[in-house]
Amino acid sequence: MATTVRRAVLTLPAAPLGPENPLPALRPLDETHVVDVAEEGRRDLPRDMARQLGYEPLRTLLPVRVLDGYGRERTPTGLDAIIIENDRLRVTVLPGLGGRIQSLFHKTTGRELLYRNPVLQPADFALNGAWFSGGIEWNIGATGHTTLTCAPLHAAVVPAPDGGEMVRLWEWERLRDLPYQVDLWLPADSDFLYVGVRIRNPHEQAVPTYWWSNIAVPEDETTRIVAPADEAWHFGYERSLRRVPVPEFGGVDRSYPLRSEHAADYFYELPEDARRWIASLDATGQGLVQTSTDQLRGRKLFLWGSGTGGRRWQEWLTEPGTPGYAEIQAGLARTQLEHIKLEAGAEFSWLEAYGPLAGDPAAVHGADWTAARTEAEARLEAALPRAQVDAAYEAWRPYADHEPTETLATGSGWGALEVLRAGHKLPGTPFDESALDEEQAPWAELYRSGTFPVPRRVIPPGPTLVAAHWRDMLETAPAEPLTEYHLGVAQWHAGDTAQAVRSWERGL
C-alpha cells in the first residue's frame, strides 16, 4: 500500500492536566541534572565536554509557566492523533502532546516496537512540571524533559522526497527562543520511519542548544541495550560524572536494565568514526533500533532499576501490573548535562531512523560484548545501510523548506509574535499572525504602540516575555502597574534582582 496520512482520535484513560500556574517561574524546577562543574573540571574530561557542561545552564523557566495542576482521576479521553501508515509500519503521533510518537507498530511481525503506555498520567518530571511516559518524545531547550511535553504543536502535511507525503511538526521553543521542526517520513516500502529534524537560530547572537530524542522501550529481565561503545559516562544523580566500562560495571552487566538496583544514566562514549545507533533487544534477539546521521552523536540508556523506588515510579506513571520500560536516547552532545553553541543565523539538522531489528539471540545475549555489538550492527547494516541513511538525509534537506499543504493541528501563537516583531524568514515553518491569541495580544500591542495595554477587568497578569528585546520595550513603555510587574519579572530573569524588586514596588 502507498503511505497514507490521516487524522484519528485515540481514547485513553487520562488524568486532567489542569491549568497553568499563574505565578512566574522564577526558579528552575529540575535540580536533579546538576554537575559540580568545578569538581568535574579537575577530572580527565574531554575538552569539549568540560566546556559544554558549564555553558549557559538554565537559570529560570521564564517565560514558560509551570504545569502543576494535574490530577490522578483518570477518565476516558479522546486525544487527537495523526496516523502515518504503509504496508509495514503504523505510526501514531499526538500533535497536542508535544508531537509524541505514541506507537510504532510493525505490521509484518505484529509487534509494538515501543513501550506504549496504556494511560496518560502526568507527573512532575518535565522542566515545567507535567510529563508522561511512553513512546518517543522530542526534547529541546535545556537539560531535562522539554516544557513542550504536554503542549500542542503545529502539524501539517508536506511533500516527501519520494513523491508521497510526510508530516511536519513545528513550534517556537521559548526557553532558548528557537524555532524547530520534526519531519516524519515513511517511504512506501520501508520498515523504517525517517525523522528529519532541524533547529534554526534566526538571531544575531549565538544561542545554547539542546536536543535528545527519548525512546521508551519495553523492559523485562531479558531486555538488553546494545550500542557501539566500550565505555560510558555514568550519572547517578549525585552531581558528578564518571567514566565506566561497558557493559560490566561494579560486577553487574548494566546493559540489562533490571540488573541495576537504582535509577541511572549511561551516556555511551561512541568512537568518532562509529555509526550512530542504539538498540533494545529481547530474549529472541528482536526489538527496536534507532540510528541517525552523525550530527546526532550521543547515545544513552536510562534505567529505573529494580529497586523499590524505581518500581514505584513505574507504577505511578502508569498502573499496577503494567510491564516496565527503559529509555534509549540520542542527542546532540555526549551527555544531557551539556548545551551546544548554535551560532547566529546557523542551524543544526540531521536524520534519524526507527525500525525493527532481529539478531541471533545467542550472539546478542552472549558473554562476549564485542560479539553482541558486531551482531547488532551487522543486522542493522543489512536492514538499513549507513549509506542509505546518509542518502535519505541529503534527499530530505531540500524538502525541509517546502511549505505545508494541509493543516493537521495548530500550536501556540508565540512563534507568530516573534516573527511579527523581527520579521524572521523561516521557510517551511509558517508562524502566521492568525495564530496570535489573547496571551500574545498585549505583547503585540506593546510592539506596535510602545504601550502595554491595561486590562478591562481584574485578571491575573498573564505570562511575561523576558528576552532582551521585550525587556527593552517594557523599560521604555509608560510606567503603569502591570507594565512594572512584567518589567520586574524580566529583570529578575536577566539577573538584576535589585532592580526587579524596585520595579515591583513601583507597580504596587
Side-chain angles (χ1 to χ4, degrees):
M1 60 181 289
T3 300
T4 60
V5 175
R6 68 181 189 276
R7 291 188 183 93
V9 174
L10 176 68
T11 301
L12 288 178
L17 282 174
E20 292 180 331
N21 191 317
L23 299 174
L26 301 182
R27 302 285 190 193
L29 298 187
D30 184 359
E31 299 291 351
T32 57
H33 294 87
V34 175
V35 168
D36 187 332
V37 177
E39 176 65 27
E40 294 300 327
R42 292 191 286 269
R43 301 192 181 198
D44 183 24
L45 295 180
R47 184 172 300 178
D48 61 333
M49 180 191 289
R51 180 179 66 253
Q52 290 167 177
L53 284 173
Y55 176 50
E56 295 289 340
L58 200 65
R59 296 193 308 274
T60 79
L61 285 177
L62 296 166
V64 176
R65 297 176 127 189
V66 175
L67 272 173
D68 58 3
Y70 50 86
R72 295 288 298 172
E73 295 295 325
R74 302 183 196 132
T75 58
T77 303
L79 305 173
D80 289 337
I82 300 169
I83 309 296
I84 313 168
E85 187 172 11
N86 66 8
D87 60 345
R88 302 183 187 185
L89 281 177
R90 182 167 62 247
V91 186
T92 304
V93 185
L94 303 179
L97 293 167
R100 182 80 60 101
I101 294 182
Q102 193 262 353
S103 170
L104 189 63
F105 183 74
H106 190 229
K107 296 158 67 174
T108 309
T109 58
R111 295 171 62 94
E112 173 60 58
L113 300 180
L114 303 174
Y115 167 73
R116 184 175 183 176
N117 197 334
V119 304
L120 177 61
Q121 177 56 62
D124 187 13
F125 280 98
L127 286 166
N128 63 330
W131 174 87
F132 64 101
S133 65
I136 304 173
E137 63 175 315
W138 318 112
N139 285 300
I140 183 174
T143 300
H145 291 285
T146 178
T147 61
L148 293 163
T149 288
C150 294
L153 302 191
H154 299 281
V157 175
V158 293
D162 63 351
E165 296 178 332
M166 62 183 176
V167 172
R168 175 162 300 154
L169 307 166
W170 74 97
E171 246 304 350
W172 193 278
E173 200 288 309
R174 301 176 67 210
L175 293 179
R176 305 301 195 182
D177 262 339
L178 295 175
Y180 74 101
Q181 70 189 75
V182 178
D183 288 355
L184 306 175
W185 169 29
L186 183 58
D189 59 348
S190 178
D191 284 300
F192 285 81
L193 172 69
Y194 293 153
V195 180
V197 182
R198 177 167 64 169
I199 306 171
R200 288 185 275 193
N201 178 8
H203 307 296
E204 296 178 354
Q205 68 281 341
V207 177
T209 310
Y210 173 93
W211 182 278
W212 282 80
S213 302
N214 287 13
I215 309 124
V217 292
E219 169 197 71
D220 62 26
E221 291 78 5
T222 69
T223 302
R224 192 175 206 189
I225 309 303
V226 186
D230 293 314
E231 292 182 311
W233 297 93
H234 171 264
F235 181 68
Y237 305 94
E238 298 169 333
R239 304 181 73 91
S240 68
L241 283 166
R242 56 175 168 167
R243 193 191 295 258
V244 299
V246 173
E248 188 170 313
F249 160 54
V252 177
D253 187 336
R254 308 289 175 169
S255 64
Y256 292 90
L258 284 179
R259 295 186 186 178
S260 294
E261 183 178 359
H262 303 295
D265 296 335
Y266 291 91
F267 300 103
Y268 295 108
E269 184 67 47
L270 274 62
E272 285 293 332
D273 60 347
R275 183 176 184 179
R276 312 311 196 206
W277 62 272
I278 189 168
S280 172
L281 304 172
D282 64 13
T284 68
Q286 298 184 78
L288 171 78
V289 66
Q290 187 271 0
T291 187
S292 72
T293 49
D294 289 352
Q295 177 74 68
L296 204 65
R297 67 172 298 177
R299 291 299 184 275
K300 171 193 167 184
L301 162 64
F302 165 76
L303 53 89
W304 282 109
S306 60
T308 304
R311 294 303 94 193
R312 182 71 183 105
W313 270 117
Q314 298 252 24
E315 292 179 3
W316 178 263
L317 290 166
T318 178
E319 57 188 4
T322 302
Y325 74 96
E327 288 180 356
I328 56 176
Q329 307 182 10
L332 282 174
R334 281 184 177 88
T335 76
Q336 288 176 326
L337 311 174
E338 303 167 66
H339 299 100
I340 297 178
K341 181 181 289 186
L342 180 55
E343 298 293 347
E347 67 178 50
F348 289 139
S349 65
W350 62 91
L351 189 92
E352 305 179 45
Y354 296 82
L357 190 69
D360 178 3
V364 167
H365 294 283
D368 187 336
W369 174 246
T370 300
R373 285 176 42 188
T374 301
E375 169 67 10
E377 186 153 13
R379 296 299 182 115
L380 171 60
E381 185 66 19
L384 185 67
R386 184 178 188 177
Q388 186 172 328
V389 175
D390 293 338
Y393 169 74
E394 295 299 332
W396 166 73
R397 282 295 290 121
Y399 286 79
D401 285 345
H402 279 221
E403 296 300 328
T405 60
E406 177 191 351
T407 299
L408 298 173
T410 302
S412 79
W414 295 113
L417 182 67
E418 291 302 323
V419 169
L420 172 68
R421 179 197 63 82
H424 298 307
K425 303 300 181 185
L426 300 168
T429 54
F431 292 99
D432 296 327
E433 197 169 336
S434 61
L436 297 173
D437 63 21
E438 61 182 12
E439 287 193 327
Q440 293 91 43
W443 297 94
E445 178 64 24
L446 174 65
Y447 166 71
R448 292 185 175 111
S449 70
T451 299
F452 200 91
V454 177
R456 297 178 181 177
R457 56 191 175 89
V458 178
I459 56 173
T464 303
L465 298 183
V466 296
H469 44 266
W470 292 109
R471 188 171 72 249
D472 291 345
M473 287 185 231
L474 290 168
E475 287 175 345
T476 58
E480 298 292 338
L482 187 57
T483 307
E484 293 296 302
Y485 163 80
H486 286 301
L487 176 57
V489 175
Q491 290 165 333
W492 179 283
H493 173 76
D496 191 353
T497 54
Q499 187 59 52
V501 171
R502 286 192 286 273
S503 295
W504 289 329
E505 287 174 341
R506 282 197 306 269
L508 290 173

